[in-house]
Amino acid sequence: MFGKIFCNIIKSKRVLNERELEYKNPEEAAGGLVRRDIIPASFRGSVRIRQVDAGSCNACEWECIALTNPIYDVQRFGVDFVASPRHADIILVTGPVSWSMARALEKSWLAAAEPKIVIACGDCAADGGVFRGSYAVAGGADKIVPVAYKISGCPPSPADIIKGIRGALALLCGPHKGPEPK
Amino acid sequence: MLPRNAENYIRVQPGEFAARCAGIFHAGGRLRMMFAADERETDGFMNIYAVFSSIADHGSFDIITTAVEDEGGFRYQSITPRVPAAHWYEREMACMLGIVPEGHPDLRPLVLHDMYPEGVFPLRRDITAEDIRSKVDLARDDAYPYKTVEGEGVFEIPVGPVHAGIIEPGHFRFSAVGESIYFLDPRLFYTHKGVEKLFEQVGFERGIQLAERISGTSSFCHSTAYCLAVENMRGVDIPIRAKAVRTFLVELERLYNHIGDIGNLCAGTGFAAGYAEGAELKERLMALNHRLTGSRYLRGVNKLGGVSRDVLEDVESISAELSVVTDEFKAVMKFIMSSVSHMERLEGPGFLSREAAVKLGATGIAARASGVNDDLRTAHPNLFYDRIIFEVHTRNRGDVLARMLLRADEAACSLAMLRSILRKAKPQKKELMAADAQQDARPADISGGRQALGWVEGARGSIFYFVKAAADGKSPLRVKVRSASFCNWPLLPFTVLNDIVPDFPLINKSFNLSYSGCDM
Ligand code: SF4
């Protein structure tokens, strides 16, 4: 669904090489997807994410950063990354949780205000990924904080991450009332 | 086929080790890496290895090794006072193997944080991962002795490990006077994942997946260096087309990194339009990566003995895409460089002198932007690099601007190399068709105790792997990974002195060091 949408964006860029087409009307370019399709009403159109790197290889972070670039432009859906966990609705964890980051992760989680959820982003955060069995990692974010939703992939693509955020919010607030994106 | 790039292992007495290393270093031999291996099971002692680029024999390595015996603890005379580039390597050995360099100026624990108990040395062969795990205690308090500056008007700014943006974790203690940075004491290794020990646990084949995940944006260079090390150890020469494929992807990785970094620098100065342009072009390259290899980070292509797919099959469409990239890259550079306020901001901060770069063992962009002509692609050509003629670009200013411009030079150079490899890869050219890229050249087995180096000049600088097989030849006894960032992180505190605190993110971005690559 989402994967296809973003593939199309990039593909159309490659074939047409015509910027206007994508930027004139982002919702149109995203297959008629609008803000309320991603964010449940109880969040009133806006979710804020604090991303915490708990020992990732950095590819997962780059995909989060890519979400904010002009192609994926996730802010247009009301989703944004914030500097402080105190401003966050979602703690998005990447990495297998190295022991050295375990306490920092826990503190970040505690600092966020309710209601809040943790998303484990990437295979590492889900279960340790390739680093499982190492002496230096907890082997998954759920060993340290309560994980509500896992996004698989190594790394998950930017489109997978948006899909995951949507799924996690649906889990928290019940299924979406709006139409399923085409 | 491998007369150059030879590895000369030179064993010396423990008493001579420091003098020998200092002799090579002061004659201009670059210290490439230094590490130790616990070889008590075969030799009865531990060995220290210091890898230098040979001065007399261009293209080969002199590897000075010495034994360290247990005399109520493992000790040897530190070489850091005479070879400053060895600073972090010696601290690392002390932390990971318990080999104490006597006379080292700074023996604070480098890698392991306070939750690891004292006296646990993960890379010793007689301790298992489970043993170490069971001893980790997250409740133990942080007692790292930061270096502080005292005096009137000096204040301390602690930053991290969780930073404001989407970046990797590290802790920085600034001692500032007014806005100027007087002293910086960084503490890293928050992302330490015990990868070197894990290599020993998972065996040679699965090591590739680990190498790919040491540093996300250097996935391909790391896995290539690892594969080369294992292949060298096995005495395998991979098919020529596989070399071409690897070289192509190494350059593609350099290209997307450099372009991304140039864009990111704009974020450092608040030049949003420039950042957007850079990010967009980078995204185009990521899509190309995905199209060629099925992974945006070029994972899953390398395998021992070659590559798993021939990414150069569709020469025409790759060429077409690269020509679009070339045009857009020119336009982006023109746009970014036309912003006077952006360019002015880059001039001056983050100065690294040539002398410091050489002494502290800088590598990659950091070294070349300070006038050090050092690039493994010409100093120790492997893969396809002895067939491509190119010039090593350097800059002399040593500041943020120099590093940005050098990245642009190198990106253009990579684009030219990519085109030249594509020309050679056309089906009608017989040159690269001698052997199938997917051919598996793996010989039957590895005899125990064999060892070899593998190396690649990645986007951040030189990457080295050392692999040694255990006595049974089935698993590694030691895999040493030396990423470019491990060499360059110790430079950072020297480059920020007297710059203002708000320039720090900019300076940091201009080096673009990997935390995960360093911490492993
Ligand atoms: S899931 Fe994969 S990409 Fe993400 S941090 Fe782990 S190794 Fe890196």
Side-chain angles (χ1 to χ4, degrees):
Chain A
M1 166 184 62
F2 268 80
K4 223 160 128 206
I5 293 161
F6 285 112
C7 270
N8 283 340
I9 298 178
I10 292 170
K11 235 204 262 139
S12 69
K13 189 175 167 56
R14 189 159 56 233
V15 179
L16 300 168
N17 198 22
E18 207 179 286
R19 292 169 171 207
E20 292 308 310
L21 201 78
E22 295 137 42
Y23 297 127
K24 236 188 259 163
N25 184 345
E27 279 77 20
E28 207 173 291
L33 203 78
V34 293
R35 182 176 288 215
R36 68 166 179 277
D37 296 332
I38 294 186
I39 302 174
S42 50
F43 277 94
R44 300 178 73 183
S46 150
V47 287
R48 293 288 179 264
I49 302 173
R50 170 65 242 195
Q51 188 273 334
V52 179
D53 174 343
S56 108
C57 77
N58 202 216
C60 276
E61 276 79 69
W62 278 113
E63 297 303 50
C64 292
I65 294 170
L67 280 181
T68 65
N69 76 19
I71 308 245
Y72 298 102
D73 189 20
V74 75
Q75 284 109 332
R76 72 175 185 236
F77 297 123
V79 178
D80 205 359
F81 291 91
V82 290
S84 168
R86 296 206 188 281
H87 304 157
D89 307 301
I90 295 175
I91 303 284
L92 186 106
V93 187
T94 58
V97 191
S98 58
W99 294 127
S100 311
M101 277 308 289
R103 271 173 88 178
L105 171 61
E106 196 185 5
K107 281 186 187 169
S108 304
W109 155 250
L110 291 174
E114 298 278 356
K116 58 185 173 185
I117 53 169
V118 178
I119 298 179
C121 174
D123 291 346
C124 280
D127 65 1
V130 292
F131 301 108
R132 216 172 347 163
S134 163
Y135 64 85
V137 302
D142 52 6
K143 304 281 188 310
I144 307 293
V145 288
V147 172
Y149 198 89
K150 292 180 179 178
I151 303 175
S152 61
C154 182
S157 68
D160 291 338
I161 300 177
I162 308 190
K163 219 193 310 184
I165 293 169
R166 182 177 192 269
L169 290 172
L171 203 74
L172 191 71
C173 305
H176 287 273
K177 305 238 167 48
E180 277 296 304
K182 292 173 209 123
Chain B
M1 183 55 210
L2 297 162
R4 296 170 83 200
N5 295 332
E7 299 163 26
N8 316 314
Y9 290 88
I10 305 162
R11 183 163 278 284
V12 300
Q13 291 303 316
E16 296 165 24
F17 181 70
R20 191 70 183 260
C21 291
I24 299 179
F25 188 72
H26 289 291
R30 296 208 159 83
L31 177 64
R32 296 303 184 178
M33 68 170 160
M34 183 174 172
F35 58 94
D38 180 359
E39 295 176 49
R40 285 177 293 172
E41 61 203 68
T42 47
D43 297 4
F45 42 76
M46 301 213 198
N47 282 309
I48 300 183
Y49 299 75
V51 181
F52 290 93
S53 284
S54 174
I55 315 163
D57 182 8
H58 178 80
S60 59
F61 295 98
D62 288 342
I63 301 150
I64 315 293
T65 78
T66 193
V68 196
E69 299 205 40
D70 190 357
E71 298 153 338
F74 294 88
R75 291 196 170 73
Y76 73 105
Q77 193 197 342
S78 164
I79 68 169
T80 298
R82 285 191 269 178
V83 185
H87 177 195
W88 271 30
Y89 295 111
E90 294 200 313
R91 279 178 77 181
E92 187 190 33
M93 281 193 278
C95 214
M96 301 300 283
L97 280 144
I99 302 179
V100 181
E102 286 179 324
H104 191 286
D106 179 6
L107 276 180
R108 292 176 297 167
L110 182 72
V111 181
L112 303 179
H113 286 196
D114 304 87
M115 63 287 300
Y116 294 93
E118 261 178 56
V120 167
F121 305 109
L123 286 182
R124 288 201 181 168
R125 299 273 291 172
D126 53 10
I127 187 161
T128 65
E130 285 71 40
D131 284 346
I132 307 169
R133 250 170 185 285
S134 66
K135 291 182 177 140
V136 168
D137 178 8
L138 289 180
R140 206 170 291 131
D141 272 332
D142 194 359
Y144 186 73
Y146 286 99
K147 295 208 164 132
T148 51
V149 179
E150 280 168 26
E152 205 181 311
V154 182
F155 60 96
E156 205 173 69
I157 312 173
V159 182
V162 180
H163 299 290
I166 308 175
I167 30 173
E168 297 179 83
H171 183 85
F172 300 99
R173 283 278 166 102
F174 297 95
S175 294
V177 180
E179 272 206 315
S180 301
I181 301 169
Y182 193 78
F183 185 74
L184 166 63
D185 194 8
R187 189 184 191 200
L188 300 176
F189 296 90
Y190 282 91
T191 68
H192 177 64
K193 294 182 277 290
V195 174
E196 287 182 356
K197 183 97 175 171
L198 204 50
F199 269 114
E200 296 169 20
Q201 291 165 238
V202 301
F204 291 110
E205 293 285 340
R206 276 186 57 209
I208 300 175
Q209 285 155 29
L210 269 185
E212 280 176 342
R213 284 156 183 84
I214 281 176
S215 175
T217 48
S218 305
S219 294
F220 193 78
C221 288
H222 268 279
S223 63
T224 303
Y226 173 75
C227 287
L228 286 170
V230 177
E231 287 152 9
N232 283 349
M233 184 182 71
R234 286 172 169 170
V236 176
D237 195 19
I238 64 167
I240 182 79
R241 194 161 173 100
K243 283 187 190 173
V245 168
R246 281 185 182 172
T247 311
F248 187 84
L249 294 179
V250 165
E251 291 306 323
L252 194 59
E253 189 166 270
R254 188 184 327 281
L255 183 67
Y256 88 71
N257 268 289
H258 281 354
I259 289 178
D261 289 345
I262 291 169
N264 270 339
L265 266 183
C266 298
T269 63
F271 178 28
Y275 169 67
E277 293 278 344
E280 213 186 309
L281 186 51
K282 182 184 172 190
E283 187 58 37
R284 181 182 269 276
L285 286 165
M286 301 309 275
L288 177 64
N289 288 350
H290 185 81
R291 214 174 83 204
L292 292 180
T293 67
S295 157
R296 285 160 59 87
Y297 293 85
L298 305 173
R299 288 174 177 171
V301 177
N302 266 322
K303 65 172 192 176
L304 296 179
V307 289
S308 60
R309 59 203 279 179
D310 182 4
V311 304
L312 299 179
E313 264 172 345
D314 192 3
V315 173
E316 297 305 323
S317 87
I318 306 173
S319 303
E321 179 70 8
L322 284 181
S323 61
V324 177
V325 170
T326 311
D327 292 345
E328 287 202 5
F329 176 59
K330 278 188 197 141
V332 169
M333 283 314 295
K334 203 170 159 199
F335 176 63
I336 289 177
M337 290 177 67
S338 67
S339 164
V340 178
S341 54
H342 174 67
M343 297 300 283
E344 242 178 19
R345 183 85 192 278
L346 305 184
E347 239 175 84
F351 174 70
L352 176 70
S353 70
R354 185 177 192 282
E355 196 199 348
V358 171
K359 270 196 180 158
L360 295 169
T363 181
I365 291 280
R368 292 194 288 275
S370 292
V372 182
N373 186 334
D374 178 34
D375 190 322
L376 291 186
R377 293 176 293 174
T378 52
H380 301 277
N382 52 8
L383 294 174
F384 218 55
Y385 291 113
D386 46 2
R387 286 157 217 253
I388 305 174
I389 298 164
F390 77 105
E391 181 197 347
V392 175
H393 291 273
T394 56
R395 295 259 168 180
N396 292 318
R397 297 179 51 104
D399 59 359
V400 173
L401 179 65
R403 288 187 281 276
M404 194 275 258
L405 295 174
L406 184 62
R407 281 204 166 89
D409 296 342
E410 291 196 359
C413 181
S414 290
L415 273 165
M417 276 194 213
L418 291 173
R419 278 196 298 269
S420 124
I421 296 170
L422 279 180
R423 269 198 303 278
K424 290 195 170 79
K426 283 198 181 127
Q428 55 271 38
K429 297 245 167 147
K430 292 283 171 289
E431 198 182 339
L432 290 181
M433 286 300 161
D436 181 9
Q438 292 165 32
Q439 168 192 320
D440 190 352
R442 180 159 25 121
D445 65 349
I446 312 162
S447 49
R450 291 189 68 168
Q451 55 193 12
L453 296 173
W455 62 91
V456 166
E457 182 78 25
R460 293 185 169 93
S462 58
I463 295 169
F464 278 88
Y465 275 69
F466 168 87
V467 177
K468 181 163 190 158
D472 62 0
K474 294 212 167 54
S475 64
L477 173 104
R478 178 85 167 93
V479 175
K480 169 66 194 163
V481 186
R482 206 282 272 133
S483 67
S485 301
F486 186 85
C487 292
N488 287 345
W489 269 115
L491 309 170
L492 196 70
F494 296 94
T495 63
V496 299
L497 301 180
N498 293 322
D499 287 321
I500 57 175
V501 179
D503 274 346
F504 179 73
L506 191 63
I507 297 168
N508 207 356
K509 281 193 173 74
S510 79
F511 285 105
N512 181 27
L513 303 177
S514 162
Y515 296 69
S516 181
C518 171
D519 305 353
M520 293 187 302

